[in-house]
Amino acid sequence: FKENRKDDIWLVDFYAPWCGHCKKLEPVWNEVGIEMKNMGSPVKVGKMDATSFSSIASEFGVRGYPTIKLLKGDLAYNYRGPRTKDDIIEFANRVAGPLIRPLPSHHMFEHVQKRHRVLFVYVGGESPLKEKYIEVASELIVYTYFFSASEDVLPEYVTLPELPAVVVFKDGTYFVYDEYEDGDLSSWINRERFQGYLNVDGFTLYELGDTGKLVAIAVIDDKNSSVEHTRLKSIIQEVARDYRDHFHRDFQFGHMDGNDYINSLLMDDLTIPTIVVLNTSNQQYFLPDRHIENTEDMVQFINNILDGTAEAQGGDGLLQRIKRIIYDAKSTVVSVFKSSPLLGCFLFGLPLGVISIMCYGICTADTDGGVDEHEAAKKENSDRELTDEGSEEEQEEEKNGKYTELSDGELKQKDAMEKKKD
């Protein structure tokens, strides 16, 4: 594979045998391989145990599992989208195909526009702008398609101030890249690759982090058709549409169904429906200090954030990191017990039982040690008393000595009596 991979285009799943996410991806990956083969795709689909072939995995910069890469010549493109069959196949077909796809006719342009919600098109001939466009496309092809066309292929409503030009078609209209107002072409395309208003989920929020924008979200329940849920969603949509020129460089707008994900992100329980503005670069967030009644209130809230008068919460400071560790640990314990109470009791009960036994053993050892010390002290005191009074042998000898002295005296007295008689 290492020697011959450049002869073909490869879509490779780098996995680890013990990885749970890898096991979950495996049936999807098999479907991807079967369908791409049936489609006659030039892309070869394979998988590699990155733990057995660590040198190759390291060569391609694999740092986590599973990692999906499309290898095309000397280039390796990372896949960062949802791990579904359709999304992976879409990524493979996009990256494996031409970097810039020509649109030769008006009919072809309309067909492509119906298929893509966001469409980037270079209009004009050879130029430094086209060279830059190709360079950016080689970097951002993992996210979106890039096309080229002549001016007569574009719809009649499109008016370009000058040629060459780069145009993005989305939200039912179009916007022309202006180097002086929009800055670097790569940054502009990265910001504009999303629609002005999105249905935001966890993955989309992660992707929006690359744009550097703040994300204004109406957190609602899609199944709830009450006035308040509908009203907040409409307010966000109106701001995204009517105030694009004011806020599109700094803000992305959308709504999120349910508050479970947002609660885990903010480590707080948000009551829905509500509005929150997220800064995905530093994990800060902003909540309105008063009820959002209309579009004007929302615009004022956004302006307060831009001028720094709105209070930022959260962040990535030390206290927040500690709070995040505690919150994640708590969430893990709760989720384990909810999904499998018996498994939770085993996982957390066993360590607690071992710790309890250890503590009991330590306490017991201390108590026995105290008794031994007491006995030793008592023995030491007894020894000292024996030392002061003399040992048992010394006392016995002393008694014997006294008995011997008395016996000699009696003998002398007897000898004296016998002498008198004589």
Side-chain angles (χ1 to χ4, degrees), residues 3 33 37 40 44-45 51 74 126 142 154-155 175 252 265 302 349 373-374 418:
E3 294 174 355
K37 184 177 181 180
K44 292 187 175 182
V45 181
T51 60
D74 293 323
E126 299 297 325
V142 294
L154 303 180
F175 305 98
Q252 175 65 52
L265 193 66
I302 292 175
E373 290 176 3
H374 179 71
E418 288 180 353

Side-chain angles (χ1 to χ4, degrees), residues 51 130 137 260 370:
T51 60
K130 184 175 183 179
D260 291 341

Side-chain angles (χ1 to χ4, degrees), residues 240-254:
R241 182 185 66 242
D242 300 339
Y243 291 85
R244 173 187 157 81
D245 293 340
H246 296 84
F247 300 135
H248 82 279
R249 288 183 177 85
D250 302 303
F251 280 84
Q252 175 65 52
F253 299 93

Side-chain angles (χ1 to χ4, degrees), residues 95-112:
V95 179
L99 200 59
I100 309 295
R101 301 168 189 254
L103 299 175
S105 65
H106 181 70
H107 176 74
M108 179 63 71
F109 181 91
E110 289 182 341
H111 172 72
V112 170

